[in-house]
Amino acid sequence: MKKIHYSRKLKQFKILSGRVQYLLRHPGEGSILLIQKIKEKLKALIHDLRFAYSYKELKKIMGAAILVFGLSFSNQISAQWFDAPVLNPFGLSSMPYTAQPAFADLDNDGDLDLLVGKYVFEYSAPYETGRLEYFENTGSASDPSFASPVENPFGLSSTYYYAMPAFADLDNDGDMDLMVSDYYNGLHYFENTGTVSEPAFADPILNPFNIEFNFSFFLFPITFADIDNDGDMDLFAGESYLGYASFNGNIQYFENTGTAADPTFTSPVENPFGLTNTFFLACPTLADLDGDGDLDLIVGEGLISGTSNPYDGNFQYFENTGTANDPAFADPVLNPFGLVSTNYLALATFVDLDNDGDFDLLVGEYYGALEYYENVNSSDIDELINTNSISIYPNPVKDILRIDTEKSIDRVEIIDILGKTSMLQLEGSNQLSIGDLSLGIYTLKITFKDGNQAAKKILKE
């Protein structure tokens, strides 16, 4: 049997992956042909190295070079694509003014239930209008259906004006506890003193676990994540100020220096790990979007009033270019992966609502509506229609790209490797002039007038 020299092949694999990454970033004459040749060598190396290294390890080495394999290698950043938002799906309904979603399997039946924090404006005492609406998932893990909402269930109580909930098992007893931020006062901790199947929440404790609330803002969504990979949950809070300066939405980071069962949070650090503030509001939510083993960040932003533009609920994507133990975030990318802004606010949370292994987004917007962005990859999009009836040619392409289909085209988008739209054509034409695009690999997304979509990879020479 032929002996495989894994260390030698791994070195070659790293060199070729680096060469592809360079060619993707600095395309030139003959780059596409050279990339295709290198791709065949990489495929052969993967075939041998898979016996000594995991796909996860190989993916991390490849970095951007994984784009040459399209979407079949794994669910990495290039495969992230969010479909057009659906308003109040799965039987959900709007609620007054704001809606901050949080998910947990509260009844231990294998699907995710929904708790929504809302704000109801009242002029008279007791002014405790930050209420919590519970939507039980009576469907399944892959086909959710939510029952009519129940207000402040399981012993929960209202908070001051706003309610921004986040679930985490903060005492490591196997059930989900609840933290709720409010208007000005800080954080309310509701310990789950029930069970994994029958939750019961104790009276709230204000700013527990040594939390220091020493900065002034009026609205701050929160989320928990183990950002430093030490086995306990750290806390992120997004700020939002009353003023209308362009950039107010800072991220406050509370590191958990205690344990999974006995948390202690340090004083907050503003915009750590290279993060920058966002427009007016910062609503953080974290997930491993590129499959490299660390947590990436999407921040929903927005403006409640004081602007003539009703669509300010944008998304800023911060890729984690560090590691699971030592995060470092790249400069933000606005509305990547097909995301589109919501109405004024983007109170976002990641959740796998269709149980397909990737992270979808549920977003609360102003006036309390909920927008669902399903995470689909190109193969999923292609399955929405009969792609055999679509031809894209020439491919590779230098100037004019033609789309041969019997369907009526509504619009065509061309998206670069960072998920940014490089070209948008709304005329519904079956051909595009792309001569001004830089050389490289793009995704062509076609939206038809019947609402269906298709996506294909193209190579610009």
Side-chain angles (χ1 to χ4, degrees):
M1 182 176 178
K2 182 181 177 182
K3 184 177 180 180
I4 299 175
H5 299 280
Y6 289 114
S7 60
R8 188 184 306 164
K9 286 184 175 290
L10 184 64
K11 182 178 180 180
Q12 186 182 6
F13 185 76
K14 289 178 178 179
I15 292 171
L16 292 176
S17 296
R19 189 175 299 176
V20 171
Q21 292 180 50
Y22 178 84
L23 291 170
L24 288 172
R25 293 186 175 95
H26 305 87
E29 188 70 29
S31 294
I32 300 300
L33 182 59
L34 182 55
I35 287 174
Q36 292 299 321
K37 290 181 178 179
I38 297 174
K39 173 183 173 180
E40 296 307 313
K41 294 180 180 179
L42 286 171
K43 285 171 65 176
L45 287 169
I46 289 170
H47 183 270
D48 291 338
L49 291 170
R50 76 189 193 280
F51 297 107
Y53 302 93
S54 68
Y55 279 122
K56 186 175 180 180
E57 291 174 295
L58 297 178
K59 276 169 43 189
K60 193 155 189 175
I61 293 170
M62 291 186 74
I66 203 162
L67 291 169
V68 304
F69 288 91
L71 303 175
S72 60
F73 192 86
S74 70
N75 185 24
Q76 69 283 338
I77 182 173
S78 63
Q80 307 295 330
W81 187 268
F82 292 94
D83 209 352
V86 178
L87 180 66
N88 294 332
F90 314 122
L92 296 173
S93 56
S94 298
M95 53 214 75
Y97 297 118
T98 62
Q100 171 67 67
F103 285 91
D105 184 4
L106 289 178
D107 49 10
N108 198 33
D109 64 351
D111 55 41
L112 291 170
D113 307 297
L114 172 64
L115 193 71
V116 176
K118 66 177 186 177
Y119 158 64
V120 181
F121 187 78
E122 292 183 356
Y123 289 96
S124 57
Y127 306 114
E128 292 182 343
T129 54
R131 299 168 189 168
L132 296 160
E133 298 273 14
Y134 170 61
F135 296 81
E136 181 188 355
N137 187 348
T138 56
S140 65
S142 56
D143 188 16
S145 178
F146 293 99
S148 299
V150 178
E151 187 170 278
N152 292 340
F154 314 124
L156 295 171
S157 56
S158 299
T159 56
Y160 187 67
Y161 276 147
Y162 290 91
M164 298 284 178
F167 285 108
D169 184 4
L170 290 175
D171 50 10
N172 201 34
D173 64 350
D175 56 39
M176 300 303 291
D177 307 297
L178 180 66
M179 193 80 80
V180 181
S181 68
D182 75 355
Y183 184 96
Y184 280 131
N185 287 324
L187 295 166
H188 300 260
Y189 171 60
F190 296 84
E191 181 188 356
N192 189 346
T193 56
T195 67
V196 292
S197 302
E198 296 184 7
F201 293 97
D203 291 337
I205 300 173
L206 184 64
N207 297 331
F209 312 125
N210 201 43
I211 288 174
E212 294 182 13
F213 189 80
N214 56 5
F215 36 93
S216 297
F217 47 87
F218 81 99
L219 177 68
F220 63 109
I222 57 175
T223 192
F224 289 96
D226 185 6
I227 194 66
D228 49 9
N229 200 33
D230 63 352
D232 55 42
M233 301 302 288
D234 308 296
L235 174 64
F236 289 82
E239 294 183 12
S240 176
Y241 287 87
L242 283 169
Y244 295 117
S246 295
F247 296 98
N248 319 67
N250 294 308
I251 298 286
Q252 299 286 349
Y253 168 61
F254 300 78
E255 182 186 357
N256 187 350
T257 56
T259 65
D262 187 17
T264 298
F265 293 98
T266 62
S267 300
V269 178
E270 185 173 284
N271 296 330
F273 315 125
L275 295 172
T276 57
N277 51 12
T278 56
F279 185 62
F280 185 74
L281 169 72
C283 180
T285 183
L286 295 108
D288 184 5
L289 288 178
D290 49 10
D292 62 353
D294 55 41
L295 293 173
D296 308 294
L297 175 67
I298 277 186
V299 178
E301 58 182 14
L303 189 61
I304 294 179
S305 61
T307 177
S308 59
N309 180 9
Y311 301 105
D312 288 316
N314 291 309
F315 301 91
Q316 298 281 357
Y317 169 64
F318 295 83
E319 180 189 356
N320 189 346
T321 56
T323 66
N325 301 325
D326 188 16
F329 292 97
D331 292 338
V333 178
L334 180 67
N335 292 334
F337 319 130
L339 292 171
V340 294
S341 58
T342 59
N343 188 23
Y344 285 122
L345 293 176
L347 302 175
T349 188
F350 280 117
V351 59
D352 185 4
L353 266 183
D354 48 10
N355 200 32
D356 64 350
D358 57 35
F359 292 99
D360 311 299
L361 275 173
L362 191 71
V363 183
E365 60 181 12
Y366 199 42
Y367 301 116
L370 292 163
E371 299 277 11
Y372 172 59
Y373 295 77
E374 183 185 356
N375 188 343
V376 295
N377 60 37
S378 287
S379 60
D380 294 329
I381 295 171
D382 283 345
E383 287 174 2
L384 294 176
I385 60 172
N386 180 10
T387 54
N388 292 329
S389 63
I390 301 173
S391 298
I392 307 295
Y393 62 93
N395 192 14
V397 57
K398 291 184 178 180
D399 187 13
I400 302 299
L401 180 69
R402 292 175 173 81
I403 305 169
D404 186 7
T405 177
E406 296 179 356
K407 289 180 170 284
S408 298
I409 296 174
D410 180 58
R411 66 176 185 172
V412 179
E413 295 172 75
I414 295 181
I415 298 99
D416 66 15
I417 61 172
L418 292 177
K420 297 174 66 176
T421 298
S422 299
M423 179 181 291
L424 174 62
Q425 181 167 293
L426 299 175
E427 294 83 4
S429 173
N430 285 62
Q431 67 178 36
L432 294 85
S433 178
I434 62 172
D436 292 335
L437 285 182
S438 300
L439 305 184
I441 298 175
Y442 295 86
T443 298
L444 181 76
K445 182 184 177 185
I446 307 166
T447 301
F448 297 98
K449 290 187 177 179
D450 62 6
N452 287 322
Q453 295 175 321
K456 290 183 177 293
K457 292 287 184 182
I458 61 170
L459 301 178
K460 171 63 170 63
E461 288 187 326

